[in-house]
Amino acid sequence: GQLAENALLKLFFFVRCRDRNVNPESLGGIDDFHFPVDRKGQLKETCAKQFIHHTGSIFIKVLRDDKGWMIFIVFENRRVTVGNVEMKRLAEQTWKEFSDYVAQV
């Protein structure tokens, strides 16, 4: 996990932004992850590190569960990519390259 996070900064030219709270309940496919719950058994919001690509075209949030497993939440910055074919292509390419990297480590 830490290798992938370091790669965002050193290999893929992302910059760390402000941390953001994420409600894990809003994510699909998290059955194998363990996040804190409140007294009612509801998942609590969890702090995620947020990174932005130096071009501004893509954001990645890194969310860790109680076991240290990581979820990468990826979304393009539509303020930059809408109407700009090159920036949209760059966002898609960056995500693919990072995803391929994570699959290899």
Side-chain angles (χ1 to χ4, degrees):
Q2 192 62 46
L3 283 174
E5 218 174 292
N6 290 341
L8 280 173
L9 298 168
K10 296 179 181 176
L11 300 177
F12 294 95
F13 308 107
F14 279 79
V15 177
R16 175 95 182 263
C17 302
R18 284 190 327 192
D19 293 348
R20 302 283 182 174
N21 285 335
V22 173
N23 184 343
E25 287 186 6
S26 67
L27 305 173
I30 63 164
D31 295 338
D32 293 332
F33 292 87
H34 296 273
F35 293 102
V37 294
D38 62 19
R39 291 182 194 170
K40 297 178 185 176
Q42 300 292 319
L43 292 175
K44 291 182 179 181
E45 282 195 348
T46 303
C47 187
K49 294 179 184 178
Q50 181 168 286
F51 300 85
I52 186 170
H53 191 257
H54 74 97
T55 63
S57 63
I58 186 172
F59 292 95
I60 296 182
K61 291 181 183 178
V62 179
L63 185 62
R64 284 183 188 263
D65 76 353
D66 291 339
K67 293 182 187 177
W69 293 7
M70 300 171 90
I71 298 174
F72 295 94
I73 306 166
V74 180
F75 52 101
E76 70 181 52
N77 183 355
R78 298 183 68 67
R79 290 183 180 180
V80 174
T81 60
V82 169
N84 189 327
V85 176
E86 180 60 25
M87 291 301 273
K88 183 161 182 66
R89 184 196 62 75
L90 181 62
E92 291 169 353
Q93 178 184 347
T94 301
W95 168 238
K96 179 170 181 353
E97 290 174 2
F98 178 70
S99 180
D100 290 346
Y101 174 84
V102 170
Q104 293 176 6
V105 281

